[in-house]
Amino acid sequence: MTDDANAPWLIVGLGNPGPEYAANRHNIGFMVVDLLAERIRGSFKRAQKAQAQVVEGRMGPPGPGSRRVILVKPMSYMNLSGGPVTALRDFYKVPTAHVVAVHDELDIDYGVLRLKLGGGDNGHNGLKSMTKAMGAEYHRVRCGIGRPPGRMQVADFVLKDFSSAERKDLEWFVDRAADSVECLVAEGLERAQSAYNS
């Protein structure tokens, strides 16, 4: 598959399915793609070709500048995300460089965004699964959640809801992450990095 400028983009929010996980730190990827779906006036439907929910639409300015996008929430649990994502990438004929994973990142302070192409998984099970399934050369929108306090285990921390202090800024943070995805798709990685990396 060639990296064709007109090829669609697959925007993957990483998270765990089910209401008990909905407000967890680990589910910020779902929160961002939910907002993007609202912005393109789409609602998630079950994918026919994979264990996932998808919204198809267009992003960016109307006319030739708009890009076809498929928003994805894998329904397979975080550590198995690679299977559904790869199946959808192949079904929609999306180059791997047009796949964007939106995910929580422990090694970045809460509220900070970093965008990049490729790289390691930093112990993130969703990224680990995606990289194993299709290689590492996809984009990442890394949403900082910070490190767990004290001796709290990482697994406990990411599967807890955002604190009340964090929730004050959460809507702003999710909004900014969604903006960064739109900028990446419309204007490319360098422009998005200079505008949103902090």
Side-chain angles (χ1 to χ4, degrees), residues 71-134:
L71 306 175
V72 181
K73 294 195 291 188
M75 292 286 118
S76 55
Y77 289 100
M78 185 71 86
N79 59 342
L80 299 171
S81 303
V85 173
T86 306
L88 291 168
R89 179 201 64 171
D90 294 347
F91 176 70
Y92 288 106
K93 300 182 169 53
V94 176
T96 301
H98 276 208
V99 176
V100 182
V102 185
H103 63 92
D104 58 305
E105 178 65 67
L106 286 160
D107 285 339
I108 302 174
D109 289 342
Y110 176 71
V112 174
L113 286 174
R114 298 267 167 77
L115 287 80
K116 69 174 188 174
L117 174 63
D121 57 55
N122 214 11
H124 192 289
N125 288 331
L127 297 180
K128 200 175 286 185
S129 178
M130 282 180 62
T131 297
K132 186 176 176 191
M134 64 183 187

Side-chain angles (χ1 to χ4, degrees), residues 156-197:
D156 295 334
F157 179 68
V158 298
L159 293 175
K160 276 201 172 16
D161 290 359
F162 286 99
S163 70
S164 55
E166 288 168 335
R167 282 198 297 274
K168 290 189 179 106
D169 295 320
L170 185 58
E171 192 176 328
W172 168 85
F173 187 24
V174 169
D175 197 59
R176 197 160 178 272
D179 289 347
S180 79
V181 172
E182 291 182 339
C183 183
L184 170 62
V185 169
E187 301 181 57
L189 179 61
E190 279 185 31
R191 174 79 186 91
Q193 285 175 324
S194 68
Y196 293 97
N197 276 14

Side-chain angles (χ1 to χ4, degrees), residues 7-47:
W9 286 77
L10 199 69
I11 316 295
V12 181
L14 290 177
N16 287 307
E20 68 273 35
Y21 298 107
N24 287 180
R25 292 183 177 93
H26 223 18
N27 271 42
I28 194 164
F30 274 19
M31 297 173 198
V32 174
V33 294
D34 280 339
L35 178 56
L36 288 167
E38 265 179 53
R39 289 182 180 183
I40 65 170
R41 296 183 175 81
S43 49
F44 280 95
K45 297 177 176 60
R46 208 169 75 202

Side-chain angles (χ1 to χ4, degrees), residues 43-59:
S43 49
F44 280 95
K45 297 177 176 60
R46 208 169 75 202
Q48 301 200 325
K49 301 293 176 185
Q51 193 178 355
Q53 291 187 347
V54 297
V55 173
E56 295 181 54
R58 298 194 80 82
M59 198 177 272

